[in-house]
Amino acid sequence: MKISYNWLKQYIDINIEVEKLSEILTAIGLEVGGIEEFQSIKGGLEGLVIGEVKTCTAHPNSDHLSLTTVDLGNGETTPIVCGAPNVAAGQKVVVATVGTTLYSENDSFVIKKSKIRGEESLGMICAEDEIGVGASHDGIMVLPEDAKVGTPAKEYFNIENDTVIEIDLTPNRIDGGSHIGVARDVMAYLKQTQEISYLMPSVESFTVHNTDLEIPVEVENTKACPRYAGVTLSGLKVEESPEWLKNRLNAIGLKPINNIVDITNFVLQEVGQPLHAFDAAKIKGGKVVVKTMAKNSLFTTLDEEERKLHEDDLMICNAEEGMCIAGVFGGSESGVTEKTTSVFLESACFNPVYVRKTARRQGLNTDASFRFERGVDPNITIYALKRAAMLMCEIAGAKVSSNIVDVYPEPVADFEVELRYSQVKRLIGEEIPKDKIKNILEALEIKIVKEDDEKLLLLVPPYRVDVQRECDVIEEILRIYGYNTVAIYDHVNSTLAYAPKPDPNVLKELIANQLSGVGFNEMMANSLTKVDYYEGLETYKKENVVNIFNPLSQDLNGMRQTLLFGALEAVSFNSNRQNADLKLFEFGNCYFYNGKEQNENPLKKYSQSEKLSVVVSGNRSAESWMQKTEPVSFYYIKSVVETVFEKMGVNLQKTKTEAISNELFSEGLTFEYNNNSIGKIGSVHKKIRKGFEIKQDVYFAELNWDALLKIAKKHKVEYAEISKFPEVRRDLSLLLDAKISFDELRNEAFSVERKLLKNVSLFDVYEGDKIGEGKKSYALSFVLQDENKTLNDKQIDKIMNNMIRTFDQKFGAKIR
């Protein structure tokens, strides 16, 4: 939000350097994001002076140029060659002297001493458009005879120089979203050290000139529109705004349109109350109705876009059709044009939730919706209406042609808050004198209605939508008292906290470093997601989504049940931008709603759990002359997951795996440990990838981080001396049924030999016509070791024969 310093000083009598004012604003919660200079005409007409043409003769070497001498008020005449057809002796003109920079939109040029067709020229006599004071280029600009020679042009044209302060307004501080709002806050701060007040322009002279154009108002939805006021004005003339009004708007980056629209924008920026002017002649049926319309009703807005309305979109209608999306955007048919002679001026207070939802649904963000979404002051509605109406009478020649209509069935009361002095001291950490607290509250326009030695009973005005609790009031006191005023003590009061063993944060950092070390990047997706992702799924049912009551958009209307869709959004975003080789991981909570849960406490129907997701796609490594590119695979992500398991204390030999194939994964595995699910991996189904416009294979793993933490708590790291006795390796090539998995063979091997068998690995798999249909060949290696002695061939042969016999009896495996 931009604040004009010149404009601000109309409401508060201050003469503070801009840098100092910026420090004050930042200290009281209106953080300044930038400062820039503004000139009503670019360049400020520096170097231009008022002159008088003394002589004007034809140029000897040109049939369209003139030789002039101009008095610039410096006691000498200056020769200037001029090409304007209307130049003549005796004229008062604007002259750009040598060295002056003239601006034309984005271009500029410097006036230099020159010779034109052999004649010396020491300046330029200017046209309106050349200096930015008009649009005409028919000839030079001729000033009235009373123009004083030698006067700087910036003084003659009353050029305004201003400083614009940009405030990074936080959502809770919409009370500071106007020039008067900022003036009010600055006054509260300065009043602690000096006598000062702020001024609101008087509207006491507001007059109803006649009642020839009464337009009744009907509010059908008072929840969405707690207050609606309006008045009609007739006999007005729509034209260009006066310079002072255009300067005010230009300074803060608003483009002037016409005097009526500019006045509504001016009052919005002045007091923070959005207004809307309807062409009264276009209000069919002579009535204004505030209501919602049927779902999918069509409405064309000012930008000429036809929009479908939601059944909860509040509309300002006439007797037949919609005219404006309430608090958001006007319609194309009811706006003010050059032909407008009468208007119905609206000033209202709309429900922030209704406006926010409508603005998000329609994809609109306007100055009006920005304020209504955060909450406007319901008690300034009539003031703003009168202020704008009086300006229209003054600037556009309007007459107020009706009494003010004010539909306000349930006036908003002040917020009642009890403030304890003990709480002020506890939260601020310093005892502030009671009189000081009262002075600050008074400066903030917070009324004290009752007091005793221990507490105050306060009434907070409705425009402070963020101050409704005791702690909010204490924060208000502190920001005016000054955060930097609170003493910093040389000791710290703290409470000792003992981290659990093992510390979950340390473990998370450990795994994150491990994954980063093998080329993964950590990602963070929004825990809010699109509910439609779960449409038709059995693995994650739509009915189990935790829905958001007031979603920011339909793409963020539920809480995620899985990290999968956030990962796919990241893959889609990157692969569509030529970054297809991805290795990502994420820690995040997932949420679950069980509507069938029978429990008196409704919160028991909701649960959450933390997950770790791993996703890979594209190639394992970047293209290089040193190695061939190799695409990621199911077995690659499986190996990554197993290293995470091992780091968390999972004994892979005791894990149970089961193949899965569902609507999410074309193929995959689930992992179980001690009868608890610890994760799953899979190749994302083509149908799911298609919904995200992903053509390449994507492999995804989701691990139950909560379950892994429980395993890690029980896991003890044991250290042992490296054995002095050698390991022995034996290999077996087995012919067995294709349905037999390596995990089954490995687990059976360890059940046969628990003491001496150290490791079992698979180093070759063969399936083909040579070994028969439904068969496969596994090449397994077995590592044996005795910690106390060297194994001999007899012992080794006995163990391997037991293995062969067991594999034959249990799996029908034959030695090849």
Side-chain angles (χ1 to χ4, degrees), residues 34-60:
I35 300 172
E36 59 184 28
E37 297 300 320
F38 168 78
Q39 295 172 319
S40 54
I41 294 178
K42 190 173 183 179
L45 301 186
E46 292 289 342
L48 282 85
V49 295
I50 308 302
E52 181 180 2
V53 180
K54 290 297 186 179
T55 63
C56 179
T57 59
H59 194 294

Side-chain angles (χ1 to χ4, degrees), residues 200-211:
M200 291 185 68
S202 175
V203 294
E204 290 183 2
S205 60
F206 173 83
T207 303
V208 177
H209 299 101
N210 59 66
T211 56

